[in-house]
Amino acid sequence: MNWQKLTLVASVGGLLITLSTWAANVSGNRLNKPNQPRTQISIQQLHQQAQAITVKVMSQSVLGSGILLQRQGSAYTVLTNAHVLRAGSPPYRIQTNDNHIWSANVRQDSLNTLHATSLQQGNDLALLQFFSSGYVYTVASLGSPPKVGDQVFAAGFPFVEKGDHGKGFVFTSGKVSLLLHKALEGGYKVGHTNAIEKGMSGGPLLNRRGFVVGVNGIHAYPLWDAPSVFTDGSEADPALHQQIIHLSWAVPMNTVRSSFPNTLK
Amino acid sequence: MKLRLFAQVLMGVAIACGTSLTLNKPSYAEGATFYCNQSDGVPTTFVRTQDGKSVPIIHWVSNYISHGRLTPVRRCQEVSRRFQSNYDNGTLKFIKAGMLNGQPVVCAAAQKKAACTERTLLFTLLNGSDPDATARKLFDRRALAAGNAVNQSGGDETNDPVNIDVEAYLYFAPSVDN
């Protein structure tokens, strides 16, 4: 009798374990998963990719971060936020991940974004250019718009007060929590759970494949409370405002493309 | 006896859980504190938010020896106090540039169109400086994640003592301390 009971318990237990494993595989649209796991870059490779394409933007001191967007010969285009450049005055410099420091200037097609006195007049984006005298750097691959729930990664250089050294390169993981139909002032539409710190503005938001899907610029928990304002001048209602202030925000890559049509196809 | 001990332990656990639950969800938007402190030897206006983070917002730098009343330290203390009172009064939402008594000023505003007043004044700028750019940089600091605190110098562009005296008037008016 005891043997029978034991066998029954073992069978049921085994069945439950099998079922739960199968259920875990089924979730996330993996019903048609082939026997071989689909090749996907590892998180470590993603981290390396992010580190290769993320730069420091500086003038006298560190202003924030930027993304290596494009290479034409030895001319590199760096994407960052307009407010990063507003935080200091020219001449600007770029520090690449090999610790080289390059003298950089604002690209002609980006000058109008800086002259706007308020974010409402333009997107919070700016382009810099530097010449690398032969050094070759990886540039970003651009990805398609992320969806709510997608895992996304943020990279950049948080700023610390003591000395001018900073924390070094930071790479975080999170997910897209909210996508706005109407952008916040500056073009911000992608709300995510990565902890953006001061200094990480202008850095990339990457998807699981290592493609850049946005530029980070807003951290969660503003220093003091002010309304969330959309590009059309209207304000978010209290419920939405509460959601907004608990998230970090990025300008989506589509907005970057439409802001600089001559640079990006 | 055993039951009593058990009940005490249970209560202790309950208190601990309750405390950690409360701590995990700070209502961060209330209770920002503005204060002046040194940062690398520079008097700096900081804001401490409810979740315990202290963020520098203005470095009060000075490249010359001040003969006026307003040393960077005093300026830092006075302006930090003004940030705090505007925050407490609910007038610190936006930061804008304006004119007050003929001087370019940076002030707090509950609405974008609100005028600058003695109460909403945060600090004065020298004639010829760009108040819009300074106000913009300061408001940027609220939620945007660039690295730098705003550097604000108290008169190193000119040695003209008249400017310092005017600033002193604006801070300590109407009964000027000697």
Side-chain angles (χ1 to χ4, degrees), chain A residues 61 63 83 86 117-118 159 161 163 185 196-201 217-219 221-227 245, chain B residues 28 32 39-40 47 49 55-57 59 92-95 112 136-138 140-148:
Chain A
S61 56
L63 303 179
H83 79 260
R86 271 206 302 272
T117 52
S118 99
F159 185 80
E161 277 296 296
E185 279 184 316
I196 298 300
E197 299 174 69
K198 297 278 188 208
M200 289 176 73
S201 266
I218 293 178
H219 59 75
Y221 309 119
L223 303 185
W224 66 86
D225 197 48
I245 62 180
Chain B
Y28 93 97
S39 172
D40 273 342
V47 56
T49 51
V55 180
I57 51 175
H59 291 308
L92 183 65
K93 300 274 175 197
F94 303 97
I95 295 188
K112 277 190 187 170
R136 179 79 244 171
K137 271 198 257 191
L138 210 43
D140 280 356
R141 193 86 185 133
R142 191 188 70 89
L144 303 176
N148 246 357

Side-chain angles (χ1 to χ4, degrees), chain B residues 67-86:
Chain B
H67 296 292
R69 298 181 195 85
L70 285 178
T71 62
V73 170
R74 284 203 74 177
R75 203 163 147 85
C76 178
Q77 288 165 343
E78 176 63 20
V79 176
S80 305
R81 192 188 65 74
R82 284 173 171 270
F83 267 94
Q84 188 67 55
S85 67
N86 274 281

